[in-house]
């Protein structure tokens, strides 16, 4: 049983969709209709559109794993001299600063410990400094530590600063499982293999007019790490799209929307709460504190034991979970309850197995 925080278990209807006859996206107009349906469903999940009621954002779906969206954002918006404020309390927040510097930008990293909340006071101090920031980056759900960040205070402070700072949010591990304030975000990133429960291979983005304008002024010269060719695909796609992945994600989103977003969010909340309750019964401490733990993934602090526990779960109980990453690789055990796996019965099966391993 797959209980990792991405890739997640892919339900049977999605697997069936992948087995359909291949559509050639370069020559068959049928693919245009499939892509249009996918964009429409993503608009509903992001909570954006062009209906005059919801926030207006354009959707782009790139062929590549979720990290492609993060790099493409920076490649599309950053050039030598671009100043970027990177707010972080985790590995992917730090990673934004690395991307900025790799494209010649000037990153100001405002960071906190990985078990701490976002450093709002330090963020304010950076905003009030001498920098002329062009954009600010942040992460909604830091998957490596199971942290869900409250973005509203950050977005409030950016709005109060009354400056034209573009907002960039990595919502890869929250979109589709937790409400995301996309209407307040200029470029909001998602991916197929997390809460959507489709296979890895597609990066999604909801992009504001302000972000498009900044990209056009920047005129990035890359093809693959460039959002601009995706703004209008009416006359073709920048490159051969990943047809089977597109069909799979379209089916996965159909399942999600048929269930209803509010129901899906409640299901994730219940699964996350139950996972941490079961962990407490086993004497396991969450990382971070429960009030900042994500409904999509639970990280337990198990110093020096994560790899052994992961191996025993996989070999003895056929349950696959994840460890931490980087410096926390052997100190954190992560249970992914996102997408199709965000169900109390699946959490119970995983936690029963973990109880047996701990007793052994």
């Amino acid at each position: 049983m797959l209980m990792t925080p991405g890739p997640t278990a892919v339900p049977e209807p999605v697997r069936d969709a992948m087995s359909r006859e291949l559509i050639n996206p370069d020559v068959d107009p049928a693919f245009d209709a499939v892509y249009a349906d996918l964009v429409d469903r993503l608009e509903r999940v992001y909570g954006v559109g062009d209906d005059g009621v919801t926030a207006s954002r354009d959707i782009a779906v790139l062929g590549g794993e979720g990290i492609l969206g993060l790099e493409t954002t920076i490649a599309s918006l950053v050039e030598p001299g671009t100043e970027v404020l990177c707010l972080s309390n985790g590995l992917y927040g730090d990673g934004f600063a690395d991307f900025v510097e790799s494209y010649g930008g000037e990153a100001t990293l405002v960071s906190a410990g990985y078990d701490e909340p976002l450093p709002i006071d330090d963020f304010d101090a950076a905003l009030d400094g001498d920098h002329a920031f062009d954009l600010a980056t942040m992460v909604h759900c830091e998957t490596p530590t199971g942290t869900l960040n409250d973005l509203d205070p950050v977005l409030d402070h950016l709005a109060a600063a009354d400056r034209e700072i573009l907002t960039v949010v990595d919502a890869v591990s929250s979109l589709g499982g937790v409400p995301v304030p996309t209407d307040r975000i200029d470029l909001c990133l998602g991916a197929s293999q997390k809460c959507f429960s489709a296979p890895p291979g597609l990066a999604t983005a909801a992009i504001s007019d302000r972000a498009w304008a900044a990209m056009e002024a920047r005129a990035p010269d890359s093809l693959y790490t460039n959002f601009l060719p995706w703004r209008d695909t009416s006359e073709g796609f920048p490159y051969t799209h990943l047809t089977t992945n597109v069909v799979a994600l379209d089916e996965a989103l159909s399942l999600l929307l048929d269930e209803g977003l509010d129901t899906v969010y409640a299901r994730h909340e219940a699964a996350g709460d139950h996972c941490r309750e079961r962990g407490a019964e086993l004497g396991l401490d969450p990382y971070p504190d429960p009030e900042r733990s994500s409904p999509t993934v639970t990280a337990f602090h198990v110093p020096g034991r994560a790899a052994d526990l992961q191996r025993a779960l996989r070999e003895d109980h056929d349950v696959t979970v994840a460890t931490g990453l980087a410096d926390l690789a052997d100190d954190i055990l992560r249970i992914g309850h996102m997408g199709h796996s965000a169900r109390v019965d699946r959490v119970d099966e995983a936690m029963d197995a973990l109880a047996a391993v701990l007793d052994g």
Side-chain angles (χ1 to χ4, degrees):
M1 182 176 68
L2 187 62
M3 292 293 287
T4 55
T8 53
V10 177
E12 186 175 355
V14 178
R15 299 196 303 270
D16 288 344
M18 296 176 68
S19 69
R20 297 172 192 160
E21 184 177 359
L22 185 69
I23 304 171
N24 187 321
D26 299 322
V27 300
D28 193 337
F31 182 78
D32 296 339
V34 173
Y35 186 81
D37 285 343
L38 175 60
V39 167
D40 177 69
R41 290 189 170 109
L42 280 168
E43 285 180 344
R44 293 162 63 188
V45 174
Y46 271 108
V48 299
D50 195 21
D51 56 8
V53 178
T54 53
S56 178
R57 299 289 187 272
D58 293 326
I59 301 295
V61 184
L62 282 63
E65 196 272 338
I67 201 72
L68 174 65
L70 277 67
E71 181 166 1
T72 300
T73 297
I74 301 306
S76 298
L77 291 170
V78 171
E79 59 188 345
T82 302
E83 294 199 56
V84 183
L85 179 54
C86 302
L87 182 62
S88 174
N89 60 348
L91 187 67
Y92 285 101
D94 292 350
F96 266 125
D98 294 335
F99 276 135
V100 168
E101 292 176 352
S102 72
Y103 282 89
E106 300 175 12
T108 297
L109 179 62
V110 177
S111 61
Y114 286 9
D115 60 345
E116 297 175 2
L118 291 173
I120 302 298
D121 290 342
D122 293 341
F123 181 76
D124 281 344
L127 278 178
D128 292 337
D130 297 330
H131 296 278
F133 293 113
D134 296 287
L135 61 151
T137 67
M138 62 207 81
V139 176
H140 193 203
C141 176
E142 276 284 0
T143 329
T145 57
T147 301
L148 186 72
N149 288 315
D150 182 3
L151 300 184
D152 283 330
V154 182
L155 298 172
D156 288 344
H157 287 221
L158 283 167
D162 195 26
R163 291 157 61 183
E164 295 297 316
I165 300 174
L166 295 173
T167 50
V168 173
V169 171
D170 169 359
V172 167
S173 294
S174 56
L175 184 68
V178 180
V180 180
T182 313
D183 60 326
R184 308 185 67 193
I185 298 166
D186 288 295
L187 213 155
C188 187
L189 300 162
S192 57
Q193 77 271 23
K194 301 286 187 174
C195 299
F196 297 153
S197 282
L202 296 176
T204 70
I207 305 172
S208 73
D209 289 341
R210 292 199 321 152
W212 286 125
M215 292 178 204
E216 289 170 348
R218 153 83 173 85
D221 53 14
S222 170
L223 171 66
Y224 204 67
T225 53
N226 184 355
F227 278 121
L228 279 177
W230 295 91
R231 188 171 193 182
D232 181 2
T233 59
S234 60
E235 295 186 5
F237 296 92
Y239 47 78
T240 300
H241 218 318
L242 281 63
T243 313
T244 301
N245 292 74
V246 168
V247 171
L249 180 55
D250 188 51
E251 180 65 27
L253 292 174
S254 177
L255 294 175
L256 185 153
L257 291 168
D258 284 348
E259 183 179 355
L261 285 173
D262 288 342
T263 302
V264 170
Y265 296 153
R267 176 163 57 78
H268 280 79
E269 192 77 39
D273 289 345
H274 189 66
C275 187
R276 289 182 278 276
E277 288 168 3
R278 290 292 311 271
E281 292 170 1
L282 298 175
L284 297 174
D285 294 324
Y287 186 110
D289 292 337
E291 63 268 19
R292 288 186 289 107
S293 293
S294 175
T296 61
V297 52
T298 291
F300 292 116
H301 194 211
V302 291
R305 296 189 293 160
D308 289 339
L309 292 171
Q310 181 194 45
R311 186 180 308 108
L313 283 167
R314 183 179 64 248
E315 294 178 355
D316 300 340
H317 299 274
D318 195 27
V319 174
T320 303
V321 300
T323 61
L325 299 176
D327 293 342
L328 294 171
D330 200 29
D331 296 332
I332 286 178
L333 190 74
R334 294 182 293 153
I335 312 294
H337 34 77
M338 58 173 61
H340 185 65
S341 298
R343 304 180 190 280
V344 168
D345 59 338
R346 290 178 67 89
V347 169
D348 271 333
E349 187 174 346
M351 297 305 291
D352 288 346
L354 181 55
V357 167
L358 291 171
D359 286 343

